[in-house]
Amino acid sequence: MRERRARRSLLSPALLTASIALVAGVSVGGSYALWNGGAPISETEVRSGTLTATVAVGDTGSPTATSAAFDPAAFDGMLPGETRTQTLTVGNTGTTAFLVAASLDAASSASADVSWTLAPGSCAAPGGVGVPLGATAANVGGPLAGSTFSSYCLSVTLGPDVPADVAGTTVADFTLLLDANQDRP
């Protein structure tokens, strides 16, 4: 009889372990239902998409560039009161429409000698009034739909009352910052 008890005592822990493993397996397997389900949402619209902005100097957009540099020669030798322009093209290679907002770096926006504006459309055919640029971003033009490109005209004006030592210099050290803000109609 002692041998039977020894065998029973070996079988009991094995059965207990198998029972615990089975219960744990059923518990874990059943928990997946917590992540599956649905519920109606009233008076709400849910959309998804991508927002990808690109920029290029000139009338032709870039499908990938996220920064661009103006040629310093475009603003070389400016005279008091003179305005020079450069076209840049912003692309929306994503699927979600966005608004283009523009601002200047802190040093440029604090300049009393130079002013900047940005208008929708190329400089050859501006499509709107230029938005004055400063340290705070301002929306320029309407929304840019997904998979499209749009040109903007940057105007740089040297003030008419600049000191004589500033006249005829190059306005080349400025940073134009562009933001793509999702359009939420």
Side-chain angles (χ1 to χ4, degrees):
M1 280 193 157
R2 287 186 182 178
E3 287 181 20
R4 284 187 178 173
R5 285 186 185 172
R7 286 183 188 168
R8 285 186 189 163
S9 64
L10 290 176
L11 291 177
S12 295
L15 287 174
L16 180 61
T17 303
S19 298
I20 291 172
L22 181 61
V23 170
V26 170
S27 296
V28 172
S31 69
Y32 291 118
L34 294 174
W35 301 104
N36 295 320
I41 301 173
S42 62
E43 299 182 31
T44 301
E45 183 177 331
V46 177
R47 290 186 260 171
S48 65
T50 59
L51 191 148
T52 307
T54 63
V55 63
V57 174
D59 291 318
T60 304
S62 168
T64 59
T66 56
S67 66
F70 293 103
D71 181 0
F75 306 105
D76 186 30
M78 290 183 71
L79 300 175
E82 184 178 5
T83 298
R84 303 255 182 108
T85 61
Q86 283 288 291
T87 298
L88 60 118
T89 301
V90 176
N92 181 352
T93 59
T95 59
T96 302
F98 62 77
L99 296 168
V100 173
S103 62
L104 293 168
D105 63 282
S108 298
S109 65
S111 172
D113 296 332
V114 183
S115 62
W116 292 264
T117 62
L118 190 63
S122 71
C123 294
V129 177
V131 174
L133 301 178
T136 304
N139 287 336
V140 180
L144 186 58
S147 300
T148 61
F149 292 90
S150 184
S151 294
Y152 295 85
C153 182
L154 174 68
S155 297
V156 179
T157 303
L158 188 60
D161 298 326
V162 296
D165 62 334
V166 176
T169 61
T170 300
V171 178
D173 192 17
F174 67 92
T175 303
L176 174 65
L177 306 166
L178 299 174
D179 294 321
N181 299 315
Q182 182 179 357
D183 181 37
R184 298 180 184 169

